[in-house]
Amino acid sequence: SGIADLCRETDTNLLCFVGGAINSPYMYEKQRNKLYDLISEKNVDGVIVLTSAISHYVGDSEMQRFFSRYRSFPCVSIATVIEGIPSIVVNNESGMRDLIGHLIHIHHYKRFAYIGGPKDNTDARQRFNIFSDILASYQLTLDPELIIQGDFSMLTGQSAVYTFLDNRKRTFDVVVAANDEMAVGAIAALRDRGYRVPEDIAVVGFDDIEINKSIPPPLTTVRQPLYHQGRTAAQTLLQ
């Protein structure tokens, strides 16, 4: 909506190509990726890419190749740094530090489970590294059996909780998910196993996406300035 508002204010036409993640294992996303082939100098003067939303399954070098197809016109990346491209990114460290500090100081949680994002995703790596550093600074043990790598989808949030509880037989006070979709999946799985959230086990996420408003109680999460990111990306592209 930040992009759309700026485009209206500057009398700029906005075309949205809603594809899926690059190299997605899910066929419906692979099929949607054909939309990216429709972008060319014939129909656009510049491109803004919400890189974090389509780079779950690829590394930095592969995303560089993705951007190379659009090198003939201006590009801006949102939420992921792309070499040689203006990139609008957030400070993962301050958000994660505030979140984990809140859980430790206010709620006194000590046993954390963590559902991470894809190994090649920059945000996922940063959020996990910050999370583990914070626990170490409080001298809290991070059980490797309470860490699972997800793919930012609700499905992996659900399956991670089943793995913790059913396969690994682990107990924990709180689930920290690297994004909100996995957190929502974790909540569904906990309730399916008869746990109350947050009374029995708490769940927190990262991003503050719209879906959080539709679940009771609302998810505790780190709010990203999504509107401001979009508006800044559009300003940068026009400049």
Side-chain angles (χ1 to χ4, degrees), residues 185-207:
I187 290 172
L190 286 169
R191 288 177 173 161
D192 182 56
R193 288 293 183 268
Y195 290 93
R196 297 171 301 160
V197 179
E199 291 86 354
D200 299 326
I201 297 176
V203 178
V204 297
F206 203 109
D207 289 335

Side-chain angles (χ1 to χ4, degrees), residues 49-52 77-81 87-90 122-123 224 229:
V49 181
L50 184 52
T51 312
S52 62
S77 170
I78 294 181
T80 302
V81 174
S87 304
I88 313 301
V89 297
V90 297
T122 301
D123 281 335
Q224 285 210 57
Q229 287 181 53

Side-chain angles (χ1 to χ4, degrees), residues 144-159:
E145 290 288 285
L146 285 174
I147 302 171
I148 283 182
Q149 180 187 308
D151 63 7
F152 284 156
S153 71
M154 287 187 202
L155 187 61
T156 56
Q158 288 179 295
S159 63

Side-chain angles (χ1 to χ4, degrees), residues 6 35 46 90 104 110 124 132 151 159 167 188 192 196 213:
L6 190 86
L35 289 172
V90 297
I104 294 171
K110 294 183 178 180
S132 56
D151 63 7
S159 63
N167 298 344
D192 182 56
R196 297 171 301 160
K213 299 175 178 61

Side-chain angles (χ1 to χ4, degrees), residues 131-184:
F131 168 76
S132 56
D133 286 347
I134 296 168
L135 290 195
S137 70
Y138 285 98
Q139 298 181 324
L140 293 176
T141 301
L142 183 55
D143 183 352
E145 290 288 285
L146 285 174
I147 302 171
I148 283 182
Q149 180 187 308
D151 63 7
F152 284 156
S153 71
M154 287 187 202
L155 187 61
T156 56
Q158 288 179 295
S159 63
V161 167
Y162 294 140
T163 298
F164 293 146
L165 295 174
D166 301 339
N167 298 344
R168 299 179 182 177
K169 309 296 183 183
R170 286 300 194 263
T171 59
F172 43 93
D173 303 323
V174 56
V175 177
V176 177
N179 81 331
D180 288 347
E181 285 201 35
M182 293 192 299
V184 171

Side-chain angles (χ1 to χ4, degrees), residues 216-234:
L219 178 69
T220 297
T221 184
V222 176
R223 175 174 293 167
Q224 285 210 57
L226 300 176
Y227 179 90
H228 184 62
Q229 287 181 53
R231 191 175 180 90
T232 303

